[in-house]
Amino acid sequence: MAFRFPESTFVGIDLSIRELEPGRKTIRDLGLKNITLRHMNVMDVHDSLGRFDYIIAHGIYSWVPDRLQDKILSICSKNLAPNGIAYVSYNTYPGWHMRGMIRHMMLYHTSHFQDVNDKIREARALIDFLANSLPGERDHFALLLEKELDLIQRSEDSYLFHEHLEEQNAPVYFHQFVERAQKHGLQYLAEAEFSSMLTSGFPRKVAETVEGISNDLIAAEQYMDFLRNRLFRQTILCHNELSLERTLGSSSLEHLLIASRATPERLPVDLTPGVKQAFRTVTGAWTKSDFPITKAALAILRDAWPKALTLDTLRKDAEEVVRDTLPAFPMDPPGYKESLAEDLLHCFAGNVVEFRTCQQNFVTVVSEKPMVSPLAAYQAEHGLPIVNQRHESIEIDPVSKELLKAMNGARDLNGLIDYLVQQGISGAFPMEKNGKPLSGEKSLRRALEEGIADLVQNIANLALVIR
Ligand SMILES: C[S@@+](CC[C@H](N)C(=O)[O-])C[C@H]1O[C@@H](n2cnc3c(N)ncnc32)[C@H](O)[C@@H]1O
């Protein structure tokens, strides 16, 4: 974020110098002047640290003692700018009753061991014992246990230790968290995962009951946590005095950019009014529409992905497509402009479209000598997780990772091939094509000549190329 927003200032805090060091090295190497990572105790944060538009407390609240939890909320209030927002993540009930039960078993079993590695080994031994001792015929308890044990067996040692074996892990119900935040002058603004605030994911009868139980937002969300057996929350808070506009309408979209990679289930998209067309994302989120403008808009967003468009541009482009395809379609029936915005809001609620506040700095049409973001190049060079210009962690194959290091704006496609051939023969990545090994330099060069344009374009489609 500091790299992307040079005019903003960032401050990070941690008590562990070991956690801070890699970050400090990255900051030094990239020459960033707008970020400092401070070695300090959260307890020592005072007004003098400053007031921030955004405060993020991730992965700490549930794992620290009571007075530190209070301090975190106090910082979220005292160090928050008047219109700022604070994010706090924490473990919640009821989901953690089940997980907590297994944690208690592990704590009991490992209590005689002092060394961290011994504790982890013994905790895993207990989990394996429990998993292997489940009765063949599964009752409710065994089914619940089986799912949890499987998750723990697949988790990394660091996760297992911090989540299950750490002395402190104090989940709370959502309503308790909100009450405590209120005591610090903070109110609930939203959940970071917006769709989880809505009842739309439940069957209609369930949704109606939840809405009927209470028109209080906190209570409604609490009941939804009961229904979902929720384990974890990422809650966004703001100052109590702010009056919030909770009704979303077409005007909510005016200052936002819209993006979606939902793919039409049938091609070509049938824009005819009344004909339903489904669009589905890779994560399984989907929507259906029979409204020509919305169908055209979703198809346009898919083609533009990962670029985001303003509502205005999107509407005009969609109108043009509809006008070309369906000349008789009336373009100005009352309320139609609102219909598109409302459809997009529904899509947002269902994780089919995303909203952005600013255009990211990347291109999808690459130049003759393409250049990736220096941050991504640095991360590839140092074996760090790769983050794209949309702030997503990107999984990337070994050849593309090598390419990231080479796409520095000084090499054209031939230069990139030369670089990759050299790296390939020196063993930087496995020399293969479609899973079959390549015999040597010549065959590697031939394979790269065929594939380089696609490789570079794929990197651009991942929002990693800045020109
Ligand atoms: C699970 S990690 C989360 C780190 C980071 N926020 C993230 O999301 O990756 C918890 C961190 O909290 C730090 N921590 C624990 N107690 C602290 C305190 N009193 N003051 C500052 N940092 C603390 C630990 O050193 C550890 O690095």
Side-chain angles (χ1 to χ4, degrees):
M1 298 240 284
F3 178 81
R4 167 67 182 86
F5 298 104
E7 278 152 33
S8 302
T9 307
F10 297 80
V11 178
I13 290 169
D14 205 297
L15 197 54
S16 153
I17 196 83
R18 220 184 112 187
E19 294 298 318
L20 292 171
E21 261 322 313
R24 285 180 168 171
K25 176 170 164 35
T26 303
I27 291 167
R28 273 195 309 274
D29 289 351
L30 289 171
L32 299 176
K33 300 280 178 255
N34 57 336
I35 173 166
T36 39
L37 296 185
R38 299 183 59 164
H39 182 212
M40 71 187 284
N41 195 324
V42 166
M43 290 308 283
D44 298 331
V45 171
H46 296 295
D47 294 355
S48 57
L49 195 71
R51 292 188 108 188
F52 296 83
D53 295 312
Y54 301 94
I55 296 179
I56 300 173
H58 181 56
I60 180 160
Y61 186 86
S62 292
W63 301 268
V64 291
D66 230 38
R67 58 194 183 92
L68 196 51
Q69 292 186 337
D70 263 323
K71 181 67 186 180
I72 289 171
L73 291 175
S74 153
I75 295 168
C76 287
S77 174
K78 292 193 176 137
N79 294 84
L80 192 67
N83 281 321
I85 57 174
Y87 161 112
V88 184
S89 65
Y90 51 98
N91 287 338
T92 56
Y93 291 130
W96 256 90
H97 280 301
M98 179 68 192
R99 199 159 284 181
M101 181 189 78
I102 296 172
R103 167 177 145 79
H104 292 150
M105 294 181 196
M106 285 197 238
L107 284 176
Y108 176 76
H109 182 66
T110 58
S111 57
H112 307 304
F113 296 91
Q114 305 306 323
D115 181 71
V116 172
N117 290 321
D118 292 343
K119 277 183 186 282
I120 292 171
R121 189 195 63 237
E122 282 304 313
R124 286 205 184 279
L126 175 72
I127 296 305
D128 289 344
F129 167 69
L130 291 172
N132 293 329
S133 313
L134 291 174
E137 201 127 305
R138 302 279 196 259
D139 59 10
H140 293 316
F141 176 66
L143 282 173
L144 270 175
L145 204 58
E146 188 174 30
K147 219 172 136 214
E148 283 294 317
L149 295 177
D150 178 55
L151 215 108
I152 297 172
Q153 279 175 320
R154 283 187 287 117
S155 63
E156 289 187 11
D157 282 354
S158 57
Y159 172 81
L160 185 130
F161 184 75
H162 290 298
E163 196 77 292
H164 292 278
L165 300 175
E166 197 94 75
E167 219 162 277
Q168 186 74 23
N169 184 342
V172 285
Y173 282 100
F174 169 61
H175 72 93
Q176 293 172 323
F177 178 81
V178 173
E179 278 157 26
R180 197 160 175 191
Q182 266 159 2
K183 290 191 183 128
H184 291 273
L186 295 163
Q187 63 174 320
Y188 176 62
L189 172 63
E191 197 58 21
E193 189 196 330
F194 179 73
S195 59
S196 77
M197 295 174 70
L198 308 171
T199 53
S200 46
F202 291 108
R204 197 154 55 94
K205 260 194 119 168
V206 179
E208 279 168 9
T209 310
V210 171
E211 285 155 15
I213 290 173
S214 166
N215 54 9
D216 170 45
L217 179 74
I218 308 299
E221 286 207 36
Q222 183 59 79
Y223 286 109
M224 285 195 271
D225 282 9
F226 294 161
L227 288 165
R228 295 183 177 121
N229 195 30
R230 194 166 187 151
L231 288 152
F232 186 62
R233 270 190 172 263
Q234 299 158 279
T235 294
I236 299 173
L237 304 164
C238 66
H239 286 296
N240 248 338
E241 309 77 66
L242 294 177
S243 82
L244 302 178
E245 173 55 80
R246 290 215 175 266
T247 326
L248 296 177
S250 53
S251 61
S252 321
L253 285 185
E254 260 163 33
H255 303 293
L256 294 174
L257 295 152
I258 305 151
S260 174
R261 67 165 139 190
T263 311
E265 268 192 344
R266 242 189 0 252
L267 277 172
V269 175
D270 186 344
L271 295 179
T272 316
V275 173
K276 284 207 161 102
Q277 170 88 44
F279 293 79
R280 201 175 285 276
T281 70
V282 278
T283 56
W286 66 283
T287 189
K288 244 182 195 172
S289 174
D290 62 1
F291 181 50
I293 302 283
T294 300
K295 289 189 279 186
L298 286 171
I300 289 167
L301 288 175
R302 179 66 194 95
D303 290 340
W305 178 264
K307 283 264 167 214
L309 307 176
T310 63
L311 180 60
D312 231 29
T313 310
L314 182 59
R315 185 163 47 216
K316 282 185 190 132
D317 290 357
E319 281 172 0
E320 205 175 307
V321 172
V322 172
R323 209 175 287 119
D324 286 351
T325 328
L326 308 165
F329 184 73
M331 273 304 168
D332 48 5
Y336 113 76
K337 284 193 172 154
E338 284 70 29
S339 300
L340 173 63
E342 272 159 28
D343 282 353
L344 291 169
L345 280 168
H346 279 290
C347 288
F348 174 64
N351 293 325
V352 173
V353 307
E354 57 176 49
F355 297 144
R356 301 234 147 209
T357 52
C358 59
Q359 192 66 268
Q360 285 85 38
N361 170 25
F362 64 85
V363 296
T364 44
V365 179
V366 296
S367 67
E368 211 173 294
K369 293 180 175 174
M371 180 174 182
V372 296
S373 109
L375 175 64
Y378 177 86
Q379 290 165 328
E381 193 69 55
H382 290 81
L384 298 168
I386 311 285
V387 177
N388 70 3
Q389 294 291 88
R390 291 164 33 83
H391 297 175
E392 295 164 315
S393 240
I394 293 293
E395 290 290 333
I396 207 162
D397 63 273
V399 181
S400 301
K401 200 171 268 185
E402 276 312 310
L403 254 183
L404 287 187
K405 300 178 196 170
M407 287 167 67
N408 56 5
R411 294 182 176 93
D412 60 10
L413 293 191
N414 286 327
L416 292 174
I417 293 173
D418 290 343
Y419 174 88
L420 285 180
V421 168
Q422 245 187 14
Q423 293 305 104
I425 53 176
S426 62
F429 54 84
M431 288 184 12
E432 53 185 31
K433 189 181 173 191
N434 305 328
K436 292 205 183 102
L438 294 166
S439 55
E441 181 177 337
K442 264 196 182 150
S443 55
L444 174 63
R445 183 172 289 279
R446 214 173 311 120
L448 284 169
E449 280 165 358
E450 273 171 32
I452 191 74
D454 285 348
L455 280 170
V456 169
Q457 189 57 50
N458 284 343
I459 289 177
N461 293 346
L462 289 171
L464 286 160
V465 178
I466 57 170
R467 54 163 210 266

